[in-house]
Amino acid sequence: DVKVTQSSRYLVKRTGEKVFLECVQDMDHENMFWYRQDPGLGLRLIYFSYDVKMKEKGDIPEGYSVSREKKERFSLILESASTNQTSMYLCASSSPLGNTIYFGEGSWLTVV
Amino acid sequence: DAKTTKPNSMESNEEEPVHLPCNHSTISGTDYIHWYRQLPSQGPEYVIHGLTSNVNNRMASLAIAEDRKSSTLILHRATLRDAAVYYCILTPGDKVIFGPGTSLSVIP
């Protein structure tokens, strides 16, 4: 079975903390994505990467950064967490153009 | 960015067919049409995708208009497990945009 694994299912962090959300895929996919999901807003794309060390901003990159040092791993970084970053974060991967996107189970982040 | 529009919510009786519409008038010739669904507290899961021809799999059917500006996801017999948020998305290049989705309720 194909798998996208997000390191933490539930996290609680304090305002101002640096937060790392890790994602690993085992399908040798070139493309990886980070979304956040909030009630009524659907999935909003934060960043995506189409190759190692390559990254592109999505629709809402402010307050986030990403790292892709290896093909299978894509990390989302909140440099200084704020309460408005409380959300569910979803990682996904796919092979190029037109192929299926596989999602992780999601990471629920609460910033207090 | 290629965008899709669809109803916010729909309702169906159990064991009846469900037709979920999606409009994508700005679709380009190389865009694939994908459908995903998301059950509560889970990540979205793949349902079906197509380019030009209608497609069938064990979960659903996808009917694509001849001009490709709209498509319909067909669940042949809705079950309670089909209650979810359904997303119709296009894949222009490597960036994938999801909108709010259509929330499907299934009435026993």
Side-chain angles (χ1 to χ4, degrees):
Chain A
D1 255 0
V2 297
K3 213 157 171 73
V4 177
T5 304
Q6 295 184 226
S7 57
S8 303
R9 191 91 163 104
Y10 300 98
L11 307 94
V12 179
K13 297 291 181 180
R14 295 194 183 279
T15 300
E17 272 193 78
K18 191 168 186 175
V19 181
F20 292 87
L21 298 178
E22 308 283 349
C23 175
V24 177
Q25 50 98 359
D26 64 0
M27 295 161 282
D28 202 35
H29 282 163
E30 289 82 357
N31 301 335
M32 295 189 75
F33 309 85
W34 274 106
Y35 295 87
R36 68 176 277 178
Q37 185 169 33
D38 302 288
L41 296 178
L43 279 73
R44 292 182 291 166
L45 182 63
I46 305 171
Y47 268 97
F48 68 102
S49 167
Y50 52 87
D51 202 351
V52 175
K53 296 193 188 294
M54 305 300 284
K55 60 186 179 185
E56 293 281 344
K57 291 180 181 179
D59 296 322
I60 52 163
E62 296 78 20
Y64 303 94
S65 62
V66 290
S67 171
R68 192 159 181 208
E69 296 296 318
K70 293 185 178 181
K71 191 175 186 181
E72 68 270 18
R73 187 179 297 268
F74 192 36
S75 302
L76 180 70
I77 304 154
L78 288 66
E79 294 288 342
S80 177
S82 63
T83 54
N84 64 11
Q85 292 178 309
T86 292
S87 187
M88 205 253 279
Y89 291 87
L90 284 160
C91 175
S93 73
S94 75
S95 58
L97 261 184
N99 286 326
T100 304
I101 303 164
Y102 296 90
F103 283 87
E105 296 249 310
S107 296
W108 294 88
L109 171 66
T110 301
V111 182
V112 297
Chain B
D1 296 328
K3 293 222 186 321
T4 63
T5 58
K6 45 200 169 296
N8 290 333
S9 62
M10 291 184 66
E11 214 171 68
S12 173
N13 293 318
E14 197 176 9
E15 299 194 1
E16 287 189 359
V18 181
H19 291 234
L20 295 159
C22 184
N23 291 316
H24 28 78
S25 57
T26 59
I27 191 170
S28 74
T30 56
D31 287 340
Y32 283 79
I33 302 157
H34 288 251
W35 283 84
Y36 289 78
R37 70 180 186 185
Q38 187 174 22
L39 302 171
S41 300
Q42 294 185 26
E45 63 175 352
Y46 169 81
V47 177
I48 200 166
H49 80 282
L51 185 62
T52 55
S53 306
N54 294 345
V55 184
N56 299 298
N57 66 20
R58 62 175 179 81
M59 289 178 74
S61 296
L62 176 61
I64 301 172
E66 201 169 321
D67 63 5
R68 301 208 326 127
K69 293 186 176 181
S70 65
S71 61
T72 302
L73 177 71
I74 302 164
L75 307 178
H76 295 287
R77 287 184 67 195
T79 68
L80 296 178
R81 197 195 174 275
D82 292 323
V85 177
Y86 287 79
Y87 297 96
C88 162
I89 64 168
L90 305 178
T91 54
D94 297 317
K95 190 173 175 181
V96 179
I97 305 293
F98 284 75
T102 298
S103 179
L104 175 67
S105 302
V106 179
I107 302 165

